[in-house]
Amino acid sequence: MSRIDVPVPVPEEVGQHYDKYAKLADATVGQNLHFGYWDTPDSTASFDDAAARLTELLVSRLPVGPGQRVLDVGCGHGGPALAVARGTGADVTGISISAEQVKVATANAAAAGLSDQVRFQHANALDLPFEPESFDAVLAFESLIHMPDREHVLGQIHKVLKPGGRLVLTDFYERAPIPAEKLSAVERYLRDMKFTIVQPDEYVPMLGRAGLWFVELLDITAQTMRPTFEHMSAKVTGDQGDSLSAEHDQSLVEQLNNADLADVDEFGHLIVVAERPAA
Ligand SMILES: C[S@@+](CC[C@H](N)C(=O)[O-])C[C@H]1O[C@@H](n2cnc3c(N)ncnc32)[C@H](O)[C@@H]1O
């Protein structure tokens, strides 16, 4: 049992959080509202390039092509959905609990000339408004972290996946017990961002109970956590931070400064791949 004590996220509150955060996100991370992936510890890749690299690692795990359908659960500002469309030729439907994000993502698809291939709508992942067996693949990129009940959402994803269809997701987990002296920083971050994290032994049984077969579980902590916390902190402090604070809600800007988490190696990050068994 984890000692991490944070509230269970409420979807409507998560939606309001992202509504408020939309302009600041645009000014700091653009279309990629997720962690970056730096291949080596001495990589000098920018945050944008590292964020695109993590997207690429997920897209490469989606075995879809032109004419097939992908659901992006928790689409943010649309960057990953547009990358799936460009990289695979598949049609993509993205959903978000934030109405503001749906507007931004829709505008981003239009600007990219991909409105015919990529659509976004406001919906709650706990109650997916789609026909059973209507998608060839599902992406849930850094979105289950906000879900009050991951297993329920995995069950919803199972329902809309075609038999043999694939799920690719990322999630945060407690790689090892977080030491007492680091716990308050982790809890502050999870509370501010409306996240929870899972225990390491929970995933495979949870997938199984949702009817999904486990394919891959990959720890990407070293390539993502420390460098993302360091890059984000650099973006929102110093002169850049002052100009962001002048134009945006300062408390939101401060929430992005989590340099104190760079050393929490126990705070882990996973790529998970699963499949709905073929009929
Ligand atoms: C950290 S952002 C990731 C966005 C995007 N996947 C990306 O990688 O850029 C989390 C996303 O999950 C969405 N989300 C959280 N809870 C949700 C829910 N219950 N139903 C639908 N979307 C949800 C948020 O609105 C947001 O778009």
Side-chain angles (χ1 to χ4, degrees):
M1 195 60 184
S2 171
R3 294 161 305 135
I4 301 169
D5 183 19
V6 293
V8 173
V10 177
E12 292 69 25
E13 291 175 8
V14 173
Q16 286 157 10
H17 166 81
Y18 280 109
D19 286 349
K20 272 197 295 185
Y21 184 58
K23 286 203 173 66
L24 176 59
D26 214 32
T28 50
V29 292
Q31 296 184 13
N32 294 301
L33 273 65
H34 55 254
F35 278 55
Y37 184 101
W38 286 261
D39 283 274
T40 56
D42 57 357
S43 166
T44 55
S46 66
F47 178 83
D48 287 354
D49 287 347
R53 174 82 178 115
L54 184 52
T55 305
E56 180 184 291
L57 291 175
L58 299 187
V59 175
S60 70
R61 286 167 165 77
L62 290 170
V64 290
Q68 292 191 295
R69 293 188 71 206
V70 177
L71 174 64
D72 181 9
V73 173
C75 60
H77 289 183
L82 295 174
V84 171
R86 287 193 192 99
T88 69
D91 289 329
V92 187
T93 300
I95 64 154
S96 173
I97 195 71
S98 155
E100 197 54 40
Q101 285 191 335
V102 172
K103 284 189 212 155
V104 175
T106 302
N108 286 337
L114 289 169
S115 301
D116 290 344
Q117 203 185 335
V118 185
R119 275 150 249 95
F120 298 100
Q121 67 186 76
H122 184 244
N124 188 346
L126 284 121
D127 185 17
L128 289 176
F130 303 107
E131 290 297 312
E133 304 186 4
S134 48
F135 291 95
D136 298 282
V138 174
L139 177 67
F141 194 171
E142 226 171 284
S143 59
L144 286 193
I145 50 178
H146 289 295
M147 305 293 171
D149 182 344
R150 284 173 172 79
E151 193 171 318
H152 177 86
V153 175
L154 291 171
Q156 289 282 298
I157 290 171
H158 171 270
K159 185 190 76 176
V160 302
L161 264 179
K162 291 181 186 172
R166 178 169 286 202
L167 165 65
V168 177
L169 64 86
T170 61
D171 208 339
F172 294 145
Y173 81 111
E174 193 174 14
R175 208 180 181 199
I178 292 171
E181 69 277 13
K182 298 178 180 175
L183 205 52
S184 64
V186 172
E187 287 181 345
R188 179 205 70 231
Y189 177 65
L190 298 179
R191 239 183 247 122
D192 283 354
M193 298 295 167
K194 305 190 187 306
F195 295 159
T196 62
I197 65 177
V198 288
Q199 292 303 302
D201 50 358
E202 279 181 51
Y203 242 99
V204 175
M206 192 163 64
L207 289 168
R209 288 193 298 271
L212 295 161
W213 283 0
F214 148 70
V215 175
E216 181 186 0
L217 207 60
L218 181 67
D219 179 276
I220 53 169
T221 308
Q223 294 83 1
T224 60
M225 299 304 260
R226 174 189 293 273
T228 296
F229 288 127
E230 289 176 348
H231 275 256
M232 280 309 299
S233 162
K235 271 182 190 285
V236 298
T237 52
D239 289 348
Q240 226 179 323
D242 291 344
S243 64
L244 284 171
S245 293
E247 285 169 37
H248 303 274
D249 179 337
Q250 194 177 347
S251 64
L252 289 184
V253 176
E254 278 164 14
Q255 280 180 4
L256 297 179
N257 181 10
N258 296 289
D260 55 349
L261 294 181
D263 287 328
V264 187
D265 296 328
E266 296 82 2
F267 188 1
H269 197 180
L270 285 175
I271 291 178
V272 180
V273 180
E275 277 173 6
R276 177 169 170 165

